Amino acid sequence: MFQQEKGESTEFTDALTGRKHFEAHGDRWASLDENDALALAVLMDRLFQRGGFTVEGLPGRYDMLIQPSGDCRAAALVSENEAGEPGIDSVYPVLLGRRHRLRVEHIHEWAMPVHAEAELYAESPATGPLTFFEPFYCRDREALEALKASGGEADFLLSAWAYRVQRAGEKPAPALRPHLVASEYLFRLTVKEAAPTEFCGYPVWRLSVELAEGAAPLFLYAPERALGGLVPQAGDELEGLLWLCGHLADAFPAWKD
């Protein structure tokens, strides 16, 4: 049902950029709980057993089930198989982000599910080149392809999900450094604001940070497990590993903070 449960490879190399892409979401769940399967089960319970979702009808074969409120939501892509039976194709976080004007340079579409998930290579003078997961790709695929072809710019909301966080050491480092696979970065960032939130019952901190001093704002969501007992505060300088994501600014206007 999920790609990571099929015994298939989830690591692919992009033919144009040569970057490796990990095409599954298990790392997100492992940052919530040592038992990532349990974390996924909790998410599924929140979405399905408790009826905690709304249906976003999408063009084509997929629909999206998504939590109706909050800055840190779970979403599932669903479709019908050839026999007309419904199935779950993917589950992932959808996060409230900060606005950036970006130019899309390249799109890496995931192998499975078909035409449903992708990572974008984009850039701006403020951020430089970035690669990030696009949660609404299954709906906005044609718009994103047209944007890339035109060379134009569009507003995106960027956010990040922390896999691990610790206080920064003495050695200086860039705000973001590419890690082993695309969309993952080693980071060193200063917290401007810190506010508690939650993701399907798991405690999470939403940290306001900047990729460049006075510019390129970002929301960094840090699960309690990723923080390892650290309670973040404004002024803290932190480092760790994050997953970057973002979507067109008008892709999901019904945010209810």
Side-chain angles (χ1 to χ4, degrees), residues 4-21:
Q4 59 266 38
E5 295 176 351
K6 293 179 177 179
E8 301 172 358
S9 173
T10 53
E11 189 172 289
F12 296 85
T13 299
D14 184 88
L16 180 65
T17 67
R19 293 291 311 279
K20 290 183 178 180
H21 290 253

Side-chain angles (χ1 to χ4, degrees), residues 102-104 142-154 156 248:
L102 299 174
R103 183 175 64 254
V104 176
E142 291 185 2
L144 291 165
E145 288 282 3
L147 184 62
K148 182 193 73 170
S150 72
E153 298 178 339
F156 286 80
L248 289 169

Side-chain angles (χ1 to χ4, degrees), residues 15-74:
L16 180 65
T17 67
R19 293 291 311 279
K20 290 183 178 180
H21 290 253
F22 184 72
E23 301 182 8
H25 295 287
D27 289 344
R28 265 62 89 193
W29 318 140
S31 66
L32 292 171
D33 195 299
E34 183 178 2
N35 185 340
D36 58 343
L38 176 61
L40 181 56
V42 170
L43 267 62
M44 300 292 283
D45 175 71
R46 286 294 182 109
L47 280 172
F48 297 101
Q49 301 302 321
R50 304 188 189 189
F53 63 86
T54 58
V55 179
E56 297 285 328
L58 306 180
R61 62 180 292 186
Y62 302 101
D63 286 321
M64 176 179 281
L65 309 182
I66 187 166
Q67 290 179 303
S69 62
D71 55 359
C72 190
R73 309 182 188 189

Side-chain angles (χ1 to χ4, degrees), residues 7-252:
E8 301 172 358
S9 173
T10 53
E11 189 172 289
F12 296 85
T13 299
D14 184 88
L16 180 65
T17 67
R19 293 291 311 279
K20 290 183 178 180
H21 290 253
F22 184 72
E23 301 182 8
H25 295 287
D27 289 344
R28 265 62 89 193
W29 318 140
S31 66
L32 292 171
D33 195 299
E34 183 178 2
N35 185 340
D36 58 343
L38 176 61
L40 181 56
V42 170
L43 267 62
M44 300 292 283
D45 175 71
R46 286 294 182 109
L47 280 172
F48 297 101
Q49 301 302 321
R50 304 188 189 189
F53 63 86
T54 58
V55 179
E56 297 285 328
L58 306 180
R61 62 180 292 186
Y62 302 101
D63 286 321
M64 176 179 281
L65 309 182
I66 187 166
Q67 290 179 303
S69 62
D71 55 359
C72 190
R73 309 182 188 189
L77 292 180
V78 298
S79 65
E80 292 184 350
N81 60 21
E82 294 179 356
E85 300 169 334
I88 304 165
D89 295 282
S90 189
V91 181
Y92 47 74
V94 177
L95 309 172
L96 175 64
R98 301 293 300 274
R99 188 176 295 266
H100 293 260
R101 190 79 176 170
L102 299 174
R103 183 175 64 254
V104 176
E105 300 288 347
H106 177 57
I107 299 173
H108 176 89
E109 186 174 290
W110 287 17
M112 294 182 66
V114 179
H115 301 327
E117 298 176 85
E119 288 161 295
L120 307 186
Y121 290 72
E123 63 178 65
S124 75
T127 65
L130 296 173
T131 308
F132 55 89
F133 176 76
E134 217 290 16
F136 293 98
Y137 179 74
C138 55
R139 184 187 62 191
D140 295 332
R141 176 169 165 262
E142 291 185 2
L144 291 165
E145 288 282 3
L147 184 62
K148 182 193 73 170
S150 72
E153 298 178 339
D155 287 341
F156 286 80
L157 299 183
L158 291 183
S159 56
W161 179 276
Y163 292 151
R164 66 171 185 266
V165 183
Q166 62 190 36
R167 296 197 184 279
E170 296 182 359
K171 185 178 180 180
L176 296 181
R177 290 174 288 155
H179 194 45
L180 300 177
V181 296
S183 297
E184 292 186 5
Y185 293 85
L186 295 170
F187 70 85
R188 184 186 178 108
L189 298 164
T190 300
V191 178
K192 303 299 182 182
E193 297 178 1
T197 184
E198 62 92 27
F199 179 76
C200 290
Y202 285 96
V204 174
W205 282 85
R206 190 180 81 181
L207 310 179
S208 296
V209 297
E210 294 175 346
L211 300 181
E213 189 63 33
L218 188 75
F219 281 149
L220 173 61
Y221 294 84
E224 192 173 68
R225 173 171 163 78
L227 289 165
L230 176 66
V231 179
Q233 300 179 40
D236 285 348
E237 192 168 1
L238 304 175
E239 61 185 13
L241 177 64
L242 61 77
W243 170 69
L244 194 62
C245 46
H247 54 76
L248 289 169
D250 60 354
F252 188 44

